[in-house]
């Protein structure tokens, strides 16, 4: 524990409360203060980034929904009708929607960030999902998005996604980076029945076998990722370089984080894992990282919805650290 962290812990321990009685809020306060290297941290211009893209593997029937739903949901985001819109509005969080690779032509005047690489990835059951050039373009575009946030004094950013078929990519990435059997990583996604789940698993086992010789993180991302997942990974890395606080949503965002950590292991210092998804692999993924989620609500929606719900708790942690009296200042006896 460095000197700032020690001073933060002392400040937390001498607030007018029994030692440790604010539980996880105390850990959050310590983490945020340590990230910002100050005893008086500040949260500025909180923003949730929602990356959207389509997946070639969706044509194999790995989702309960058709791929056209990706574009439909993006339009819903832009109209303010999704869960993440509602929660962001409730908690005064800015929200930005990024077209990373949706199979739809959005009018240029629409209020979204146009970062389309292509109209969906290739089918990774038979070939890599994207080329090296496409992967590099994902990194370039996502870094620019985060750098613009930094110019606008954002220091806490949440990561969400939308893309029919993207739990399949997430499961493959989790299996690789956590070195776990695919069977422990694949879940029901949008609500598959038992037969559909077995079909999804069979498809993903074929994809895994097709790309079994890959080891370098970016190669794995190019082979098995989606444009929205790769841009999320790149945005997380860029946000860490800007020393932002990273709010990681559920299963898919956490899988993108696994890739980011494989590229830069230090990134975990700045990451807050917002909730435990009801997707079956997420608990094992978080255990692999050795982290505890802020919330456990049985959610499996994606979109960054967990980020928007966890943010006010992070805000409460910073508020008690900055505003709550100490035993000394309040003239309260300390045991």
């Amino acid at each position: 524990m460095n000197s700032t962290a020690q001073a933060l812990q002392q400040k937390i321990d001498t607030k007018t409360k029994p030692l440790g009685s604010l539980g996880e809020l105390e850990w959050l306060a310590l983490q945020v203060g340590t990230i910002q290297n100050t005893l008086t941290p500040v949260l500025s211009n909180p923003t949730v980034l929602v990356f959207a893209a389509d997946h070639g593997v969706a044509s194999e029937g790995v989702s309960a929904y058709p791929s056209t739903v990706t574009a439909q949901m993006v339009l819903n985001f832009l109209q303010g009708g999704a869960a993440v819109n509602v929660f962001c509005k409730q908690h005064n969080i800015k929200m930005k929607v990024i077209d990373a690779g949706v199979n739809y032509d959005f009018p240029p005047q629409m209020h979204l960030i146009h970062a389309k690489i292509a109209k969906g990835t290739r089918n990774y059951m038979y070939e890599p999902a994207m080329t090296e050039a496409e992967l590099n373009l994902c990194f370039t575009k996502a870094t620019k998005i985060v750098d613009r946030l930094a110019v606008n004094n954002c220091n806490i950013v949440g990561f969400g996604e939308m893309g029919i078929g993207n739990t399949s990519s997430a499961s493959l990435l989790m299996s690789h980076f956590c070195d776990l059997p695919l069977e422990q990583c694949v879940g029901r996604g949008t609500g598959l029945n038992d037969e559909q789940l077995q079909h999804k698993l069979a498809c993903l086992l074929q994809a895994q076998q097709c790309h079994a010789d890959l080891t370098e993180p970016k190669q794995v991302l190019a082979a098995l990722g989606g444009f929205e997942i790769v841009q999320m990974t790149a945005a997380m890395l860029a946000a860490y370089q800007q020393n932002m606080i990273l709010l990681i949503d559920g299963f898919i965002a956490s899988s993108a984080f696994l890739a980011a950590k494989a590229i830069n292991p230090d990134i975990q210092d700045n990451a807050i894992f917002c909730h435990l998804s009801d997707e079956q692999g997420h608990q094992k993924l978080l255990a692999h990282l050795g982290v505890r989620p802020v919330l456990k609500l049985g959610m499996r929606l994606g979109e960054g919805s967990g980020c928007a719900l966890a943010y006010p708790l992070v805000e409460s942690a910073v508020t008690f650290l900055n505003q709550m009296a100490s035993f000394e200042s309040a003239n309260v006896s300390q045991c």
Side-chain angles (χ1 to χ4, degrees):
M1 188 177 284
N2 63 32
S3 58
T4 300
Q6 290 176 341
L8 279 163
Q9 191 63 63
Q10 174 71 10
K11 183 177 180 180
I12 291 166
D13 290 346
T14 55
K15 295 294 185 181
T16 50
K17 60 176 180 58
L19 197 66
S21 60
L22 282 177
E24 297 295 325
L25 291 178
E26 298 190 18
W27 181 85
L28 287 171
L30 177 64
Q31 183 181 11
V32 173
T34 303
I35 290 168
Q36 296 186 0
N37 195 32
T38 178
L39 300 186
T40 55
V42 174
L43 304 180
S44 175
N45 291 335
T47 304
V48 170
L49 300 176
V50 183
F51 295 87
D54 278 303
H55 292 251
V57 76
S59 64
E60 303 288 343
V62 295
S63 172
Y65 288 84
S67 58
T68 53
V69 170
T70 304
Q72 292 166 1
M73 279 302 299
V74 171
L75 292 170
N76 189 29
F77 294 146
L78 297 174
Q79 293 162 4
V84 67
N85 295 102
V86 173
F87 299 143
C88 283
K89 182 178 180 181
Q90 179 187 9
H91 300 302
N92 298 311
I93 302 167
K94 294 178 182 176
M95 176 181 159
K96 297 185 181 296
V97 184
I98 300 99
D99 174 13
V102 181
N103 186 19
Y104 185 83
D105 292 314
F106 296 102
Q109 68 271 23
M110 278 195 160
H111 190 62
L112 84 164
I113 296 174
H114 298 272
K116 193 191 300 286
I117 307 300
K119 289 185 174 181
T121 53
R122 297 165 184 83
N123 188 342
Y124 49 59
M125 285 179 63
Y126 312 105
E127 59 182 324
M130 66 193 74
T131 65
E132 182 181 358
E134 288 171 332
L135 177 128
N136 290 335
L137 191 55
C138 282
F139 271 73
T140 299
K141 288 180 178 289
T143 299
K144 287 180 179 178
I145 291 167
V146 171
D147 288 349
R148 284 198 295 270
L149 292 184
V151 168
N152 291 317
N153 297 315
C154 170
N155 69 4
I156 179 166
V157 58
F159 298 91
E161 42 57 46
M162 177 61 213
I164 295 301
N166 64 8
T167 60
S168 295
S169 273
S171 299
L172 287 163
L173 294 173
M174 176 187 167
S175 178
H176 175 84
F177 290 115
C178 295
D179 194 24
L180 287 171
L182 196 52
E183 291 83 353
Q184 295 184 29
C185 307
V186 176
R188 298 183 185 273
T190 48
L192 300 176
N193 62 33
D194 289 347
E195 183 180 352
Q196 292 169 323
L197 179 60
Q198 289 307 307
H199 171 71
K200 177 181 179 179
L201 177 59
C203 290
L204 299 190
L205 285 167
Q206 179 178 324
Q208 190 176 59
Q209 187 174 14
C210 181
H211 307 286
D213 58 336
L214 300 178
T215 56
E216 200 274 328
K218 287 190 175 181
Q219 289 181 329
V220 175
L221 276 173
L224 301 173
F227 293 131
E228 85 282 29
I229 290 175
V230 175
Q231 288 196 18
M232 247 198 311
T233 298
M236 289 173 185
L237 289 163
Y240 175 71
Q241 290 302 317
Q242 296 282 0
N243 200 38
M244 294 177 176
I245 300 159
L246 282 60
L247 299 177
I248 311 300
D249 189 33
F251 178 59
I252 297 155
S254 297
S255 295
F257 180 84
L258 288 173
K261 184 177 180 180
I263 295 168
N264 185 350
D266 293 337
I267 195 173
Q268 192 164 326
D269 293 343
N270 285 43
I272 294 171
F273 292 82
C274 294
H275 76 111
L276 174 62
S277 170
D278 209 32
E279 188 71 8
Q280 78 135 3
H282 198 218
Q283 186 168 357
K284 290 184 174 66
L285 190 161
L286 297 182
H288 172 83
L289 291 170
V291 298
R292 292 176 299 192
V294 175
L295 300 169
K296 183 180 179 182
L297 299 174
M299 292 169 52
R300 51 181 179 83
L301 177 60
E303 303 179 356
S305 52
C307 302
L309 290 171
Y311 171 75
L313 293 176
V314 180
E315 192 175 34
S316 293
V318 170
T319 300
F320 100 74
L321 180 65
N322 289 333
Q323 298 183 18
M324 188 175 174
S326 67
F327 284 103
E328 182 179 7
S329 68
N331 293 315
V332 176
S333 298
Q334 185 176 7
C335 294

